[in-house]
Structure formats: C-alpha cells, structure tokens
Amino acid sequence: MKRIVLLGGGYGGVLTAKKLAKKFKKSKDVQITLIDRNPYHTLLTELHEVACNRTPEDSVKIDLKKIFAGQNVNVVLDEINNIDFDGKKLTSDTAVYEYDYLVIGTGCKPTFFGIPGAEENAFTLWSFEDAVRLKEQIRHSFREAAKELDPAVRKSKLSFVVVGAGFTGVELIGEMAEFRDELCKEFYIDKSEVRLVVADMAPKILPILPDKLIAKSEKRLQKMGVEIITGAKITGVGEDRVILGEGKEIIASTIVWTAGVEGSDLVGNLDLEQQGRKRIVTNDKLQSVDHENVYIVGDNIFFIPEGETRPVPQMVENAEHAAPLIAHNLHADITGGTKKSYKPAFHGTMVCIGSRYGVANVGLPNKMFMLTGFMAMLSKHFINMFYLFTVAGFNKVWTYMMHEFFHVNNRRSFVGGHFSKRSPNFWLVPLRIYLGVMWLTEGWEKLLKIIDDPNRIFLIPPAPTADGTTAASQAVEAVTQTVDAQTAASAVSTAKDAVEALPVPGFISDMVSGFMDMFFYTADGGYTGLASVFQVGMVAAEIVFGLMLIAGLFTAVASIGTIAMGVMIWTSGMAPYEMLWFVTAGIATIGGAGSTFGLDYYVLPWLKKHWKNVPLVKRWYLYTD
C-alpha cells in the first residue's frame, strides 16, 4: 500500500487530490488522504464579497467531503503541528499520520513586515473567519456611529483604511464603497461622512498591471469616493490610527491589513530550504530539494522557471498548473513512468472594483489583451465558474450563479439586478394551468383523429411532388375543378387559412426538408413508419406535458418540453401564429411555476433529498443544494 498525504485543503491541495483520485481510481493499493484543519475548501479570491455583504457567507465555502464524495480520497479534519521527514510522519495533538509521499499545500498567512502594532490592531482578510469578522466590524461601526454624539468619535468610526493596494486591497475597498452605500441608507448616515482610504508604500496601486489599467482603476476608485495614498511609508498601526512617515496619521477605527503574505507557521518551522517569505525551494519536478518524496503545491512553491528571473507568482493559476503536474509525477513515482518538468504559462490577471466594474490583462503569454468594465467582469466570472466546475461540477456552478446573478441585492452584479428581480410564483399559476389546458386540448383532439384514422399525420407536412407542389395544394386544385365556383372559393379560402404559418428561414427549411426526405417520406410521396411513430410521440407528449403543467408536476421539464415541441412544429413550416404565445408562456413558467399550488411543492423537496444520495449523482455533483 502506497500512502499519499496531502496537507492543506486550499486550491493546490484540492486540485492535486482530485487529479490523483482520477489517476488511481482503479488502484486499490494506493491510499490518498487530505488533511486540513477546516472541513471546507475556502475560495480565498472571493472573501471580499462576504466581508462586504455582497454574497452570503456559505458562498465561499465548499464541503471537502462533498468535493471528494465517491472518490478515493479520505478527508481528515486535523491540524498538523510537526513533520518528521526522516520518519515520514505527520503529527498533531491527537494523532500520527504516516506517508510514503507528501504534498505540502498549507498556503500562506498575512505578513506585517515588523511594523509596530500592525498585527495587534489591524483586521486581515485571509480566511473565512476573517471575512465574517470584518463584515461584523463594518456593520458594528456604522451602528455605533449612528448614535454617537461626539463628532470626533463619530468620524473615527466612519473612517476605514485598507493598507495594501494589491489585488486583495483594491477589491476589498471597492466592495466597501458599495457596502457603504447600503449601510448609509440603513443607518441614516450621509455618505459624505464616511471616509474610505487605500494606502500602500508602493508608488502605484496594482503594480502588476499595465499603466493604462492602473489609471482606469484609480479613476474608478475615485469615482466611488475612495482616497488613494501611494508611496507612503507606514511606520505604525495604533488601535484607531495608521501612522504614515514622520508623524502623519489617518484616524480610523477600522484598519484592514492586506499588504503581503508569507508562508504558514508550519511551513516556516520546517527544516526545508526556503526563500522569499517562507516559500519552499523546489526543483523543476516541484519536489522539495531536500526530500524527493515531498512535493510542494500552490503558494508554498519557490521555483524559478527556466529563462525567468522571478519565482512563479502566488496566485490561483499557479496552483491550477502545478496540481496536474504533481499528480502526474506522483503517478510516475509509483508506477515507474517518466516525470515532467514544471513549465507554467500564465494567462493574466484580473481584479474587480466593486460588483459592476473590473479590469483584466488576460490572454496568452506572448499576446495579452486589456479588458475593462463588462468584459473584464465576464472573464472573471467565466474563470471562476470553470474552476468551480473542476472542483464540484454542476452543483457549485449553479450555486455560484445564484449568488452572483440571480439572488443579488441592491443590483450588486455586473448585469445589474435584471436577473434577480423576484415575484411570488402564485402569479404564474393561472398561466401555467391555462398553458397546460391548451396543450392537452391540442393533443387530445389529434389523438381522436388518429384513432378515427391511424394513417392521418398532423404535424408532418405532405411530401412535395415532382413539380414542387404538395398533396395539399393538389387537393385544393381538385376541389376547384369538381364543385361550383362558390364552394371552390370557400375551399380555397379555408385551405389558405389552414396553411398560414409562421415564416421559417430558408436554410432551416432546407435542413428540415432533407431530414424529412430521409426519414419521414417514402418514394411514392407517402409516410414512413417512423413518421407515424414520431406523430404519435408528439401527440402523446402534448397530452403528457399538458397534464404535468396542470398538475404542477416537474413544471420546468414540462415547460422546456413544450418549448421544444413548439420549435419543432415551427421548423416544419406548420406552426400557426398562435404558437408564439405557446412558446412565450412556456418560457415564463420554467422558473418554479409549479412550486405554488402544484405537486412540485411536495415532490421536489422529497426528490432532492433522495436524489443527492445516489452514488452517480453524488460523484458527478448533479444536484442543487
């Protein structure tokens, strides 16, 4: 039995464990264990959203056991305080864990550069607990300021300073500006009384970005009422102030430190070669240079790729690149394959300034593109959803979309509040029932005609004859030749009314005609057996979906099904104009129309409870919470 232990449930640890589980899913002689002190994986890049009340607290947490449900990964909740590399053991206060191969991904913690008072007096934003604590502090400051009579104390409580103008600091101060607007309204405080400051010792904010994007970021922050202080030497942090240089102070009751990170306490105490703020030096295979059975992932890596002058950056994409390589090399260690060298190709960076604006410098290593506003936010959300899909599939992507687009308050989304407006579902009950009755009636009438004459086809047009006319047009011509003029005129008028349909683009008609010629028409212009089966299936679907809509059972499925039927009828060239409202009503009833006065109210909660426990569903995250 080969024992692989992954220490840390951050981005690197989770991704590496998933890759290993996939590679060793058929190997019973490999044991994979992931150890973390928290039962959840934290989305560190989204902490500012929780800290400023844009998304709920659970939006940045993913249950580790959910991530690895049905996979060959044992999740252990514990805090490791020592590693014996010679004895290949990890120890905590209560247990000892032996390993053959170890992956260290414990991440980082804030560093305070020895500045007096910074660690004691400043809030940080590097964990879920930090985000919750900061949110409570900001709200508490507004609540206390609202009833404070001393102008100086009130001003201090309404002043907020973020030290550090990198990605974390800028994203946080942008969110705080939006949170300020909400809290001012809630506590009856004039927005002009609130002071927001972002300060950094560097000469400019977001120094890793091009100057053009830095300028746009500064302009956005200033528009939001944020003061920017750069090139300021920070010499101390008091309980209610930040000291700049020789005696200059910013009075504020809330100070947040986002000025830098260093390796975790555990990593800092390990007997391994380290450089650059407690980062572990690795070779090109991402093994520790001291122990070849110890791999390093994520922010703990100190490795300078060939041709580069700086070590790989401490960013999520580094973990995403490193994880599959480490999994491959561990697989090679155990099975005797060939190892690969780490050659990362980073695709840029992005930062959001509030919920509706962002800047991004993304693309390929040799061709980067600068994006701002809507497109930058779109790329950020796309990348977040891609990552979440690799970690927890449909389940977490669905949850993310709910938090970011559909359940947002105060229009705090890059698409505004258009998708988040909600009204009680009972307003849709009459429409749902009426739509169901109409589809049921359509299907029932066709069924009676089929029972009367099984050869009649109602949803498939007659095959065209050699001269391009159809059997229907030939019938009209025959009528006009055999009856008196008045009857013929009436028949022609009726025929025209009967075939008047929604227009169909030519390329769609051509594709549908080719399909029908292949599967539905015989050589003599009649119908194939498949055409009859299709007709009966469509009629049955109209009846079944109609009943489902009336009963409010699986309403979303029934609504989508009726939309699909409407589109198919339209492409056949036989859809009357009334089909427009059928399809439109189907779209309106997708979103929960059966959850009020319908069977969905009872069935869906029961089904959801049992559905998520099905092994296949759990393995592929095919459920919603």
Side-chain angles (χ1 to χ4, degrees):
M1 175 69 69
K2 294 294 183 182
R3 298 160 298 185
I4 302 174
V5 174
L6 300 103
L7 184 56
Y11 292 97
V14 165
L15 289 172
T16 304
K18 287 189 72 72
K19 297 293 183 182
L20 286 169
K22 185 175 182 180
K23 286 184 175 294
F24 291 108
K25 63 181 179 180
K26 297 182 179 179
S27 301
K28 296 183 179 180
D29 56 349
V30 175
Q31 182 186 76
I32 304 170
T33 302
L34 185 143
I35 303 174
D36 195 274
R37 61 185 179 184
N38 295 314
Y40 50 81
H41 168 53
T42 305
L43 303 175
L44 297 179
T45 59
E46 311 305 311
L47 289 176
H48 57 280
E49 297 185 10
V50 169
C52 296
N53 203 41
R54 171 144 67 103
T55 57
E57 294 177 5
D58 64 351
S59 67
V60 296
K61 297 191 298 181
I62 313 176
D63 183 358
L64 287 171
K65 290 189 176 181
K66 174 193 289 187
I67 293 175
F68 298 108
Q71 300 181 41
N72 180 29
V73 177
N74 181 33
V75 176
V76 174
L77 183 63
D78 205 348
E79 184 168 8
I80 301 300
N81 50 40
N82 185 56
I83 302 176
D84 178 2
F85 293 106
D86 295 328
K88 300 180 181 180
K89 296 178 181 179
L90 300 91
T91 58
S92 69
D93 290 337
T94 58
V96 176
Y97 307 93
E98 297 182 343
Y99 68 86
D100 295 297
Y101 297 95
L102 175 64
V103 179
I104 298 177
T106 55
C108 294
K109 67 170 188 174
T111 184
F112 300 93
F113 305 103
I115 294 176
E119 185 171 3
E120 295 80 8
N121 298 312
F123 290 85
T124 57
L125 189 64
W126 199 251
S127 69
F128 169 74
E129 291 79 12
D130 286 347
V132 174
R133 190 180 305 116
L134 181 56
K135 179 172 68 173
E136 293 172 349
Q137 166 65 16
I138 295 172
R139 180 175 288 278
H140 176 74
S141 296
F142 274 83
R143 183 183 297 112
E144 292 298 308
K147 56 187 180 182
E148 179 60 56
L149 300 179
D150 187 321
V153 176
R154 180 182 174 95
K155 182 178 180 180
S156 174
K157 290 184 179 297
L158 293 176
S159 296
F160 304 84
V161 179
V162 175
V163 179
F167 286 172
T168 302
V170 169
E171 289 192 325
L172 175 60
I173 201 69
E175 292 289 343
M176 288 176 71
E178 292 186 350
F179 195 22
R180 169 201 60 198
D181 297 345
E182 294 181 12
L183 293 173
C184 283
K185 184 177 180 181
E186 180 179 348
F187 292 104
Y188 311 104
I189 294 173
D190 192 289
K191 192 168 72 171
S192 62
E193 293 187 71
V194 183
R195 186 184 186 190
L196 299 177
V197 181
V198 59
D200 203 301
M201 292 179 279
K204 54 187 177 181
I205 67 172
L206 303 171
I208 197 173
L209 290 178
D211 288 340
K212 183 178 179 180
L213 294 182
I214 292 175
K216 286 183 176 292
S217 301
E218 290 177 340
K219 183 177 180 181
R220 181 69 178 187
L221 288 172
Q222 291 165 355
K223 183 178 179 180
M224 300 173 83
V226 175
E227 296 179 42
I228 302 172
I229 300 176
T230 53
K233 184 179 180 182
I234 298 171
T235 56
V237 177
E239 290 184 2
D240 63 348
R241 67 197 62 206
V242 176
I243 304 170
L244 304 176
E246 301 298 328
K248 184 179 180 181
E249 298 178 338
I250 303 176
I251 305 299
S253 295
T254 303
I255 302 160
V256 188
W257 190 272
T258 65
V261 294
E262 64 182 22
S264 64
D265 290 333
L266 175 63
V267 167
N269 294 325
L270 295 178
D271 186 20
L272 297 174
E273 183 177 346
Q274 300 179 20
Q275 291 188 39
R277 299 184 200 161
K278 303 179 184 178
R279 297 171 70 181
I280 301 172
V281 179
T282 73
N283 59 20
D284 63 322
K285 307 299 187 295
L286 297 186
Q287 297 164 294
S288 164
V289 294
D290 299 302
H291 301 280
E292 64 178 14
N293 67 332
V294 177
Y295 288 83
I296 315 301
V297 70
D299 289 349
N300 297 129
I301 298 172
F302 187 94
F303 172 67
I304 302 176
E306 184 178 353
E308 300 290 336
T309 58
R310 295 182 177 182
V312 292
Q314 292 171 292
M315 52 193 294
V316 174
E317 193 175 9
N318 181 36
E320 293 174 335
H321 289 320
L325 179 116
I326 292 174
H328 171 85
N329 288 345
L330 279 168
H331 187 264
D333 279 332
I334 294 173
T335 62
T338 302
K339 295 181 182 178
K340 295 180 180 179
S341 296
Y342 190 40
K343 299 177 181 179
F346 298 108
H347 296 88
T349 53
M350 59 197 69
V351 57
C352 63
I353 305 172
S355 60
R356 293 183 289 272
Y357 186 85
V359 295
N361 189 41
V362 295
L364 300 175
N366 297 323
K367 184 64 175 178
M368 304 299 285
F369 300 92
M370 290 186 287
L371 304 175
T372 61
F374 180 89
M375 292 306 299
M377 294 299 291
L378 181 65
S379 65
K380 179 182 186 296
H381 287 301
F382 175 80
I383 290 172
N384 283 347
M385 288 191 288
F386 179 81
Y387 170 75
L388 293 173
F389 187 80
T390 63
V391 171
F394 167 80
N395 172 260
K396 194 58 186 178
V397 171
W398 175 268
T399 303
Y400 180 86
M401 292 173 64
M402 293 299 106
H403 292 324
E404 296 288 346
F405 310 137
F406 301 111
H407 292 167
V408 296
N409 295 320
N410 300 307
R411 302 181 179 181
R412 292 179 67 180
S413 168
F414 83 119
V415 290
H418 295 289
F419 293 124
S420 62
K421 298 296 182 182
R422 297 187 295 278
S423 60
N425 285 331
F426 61 73
W427 292 117
L428 292 172
V429 172
L431 179 63
R432 185 199 83 213
I433 295 175
Y434 183 61
L435 180 63
V437 170
M438 293 302 292
W439 276 112
L440 176 61
T441 302
E442 287 285 325
W444 186 255
E445 290 178 352
K446 292 185 181 75
L447 178 62
L448 294 178
K449 293 178 181 178
I450 291 177
I451 293 174
D452 182 56
D453 183 0
N455 295 320
R456 300 183 67 178
I457 302 291
F458 306 101
L459 297 175
I460 303 174
T465 59
D467 61 357
T469 62
T470 64
S473 62
Q474 291 175 342
V476 172
E477 183 180 354
V479 169
T480 60
Q481 293 175 353
T482 57
V483 298
D484 59 77
Q486 182 178 358
T487 306
S490 176
V492 171
S493 176
T494 302
K496 287 182 178 179
D497 291 340
V499 298
E500 185 177 2
L502 286 168
V504 181
F507 73 96
I508 293 180
S509 296
D510 292 341
M511 287 191 295
V512 173
S513 295
F515 178 85
M516 289 183 171
D517 287 340
M518 186 179 301
F519 296 104
F520 288 168
Y521 300 137
T522 60
D524 59 358
Y527 295 103
T528 64
L530 182 59
S532 298
V533 172
F534 176 81
Q535 167 65 47
V536 172
M538 285 286 287
V539 171
E542 290 179 0
I543 295 173
V544 170
F545 288 147
L547 291 172
M548 289 170 66
L549 287 168
I550 294 171
L553 178 63
F554 301 127
T555 310
V557 175
S559 299
I560 294 171
T562 61
I563 294 169
M565 289 193 301
V567 172
M568 282 191 288
I569 296 171
W570 167 68
T571 59
S572 71
M574 299 186 68
Y577 278 84
E578 288 79 3
M579 188 57 67
L580 288 174
W581 90 259
F582 275 71
V583 173
T584 305
I587 294 172
T589 55
I590 290 177
S595 61
T596 303
F597 299 113
L599 293 179
D600 283 346
Y601 179 83
Y602 306 98
V603 173
L604 292 186
W606 181 89
L607 185 62
K608 181 183 290 187
K609 177 181 178 181
H610 294 280
W611 171 258
K612 66 188 305 180
N613 293 323
V614 176
L616 179 65
V617 172
K618 184 184 298 185
R619 173 69 176 81
W620 293 102
Y621 315 105
L622 300 176
Y623 59 92
T624 60
D625 293 318

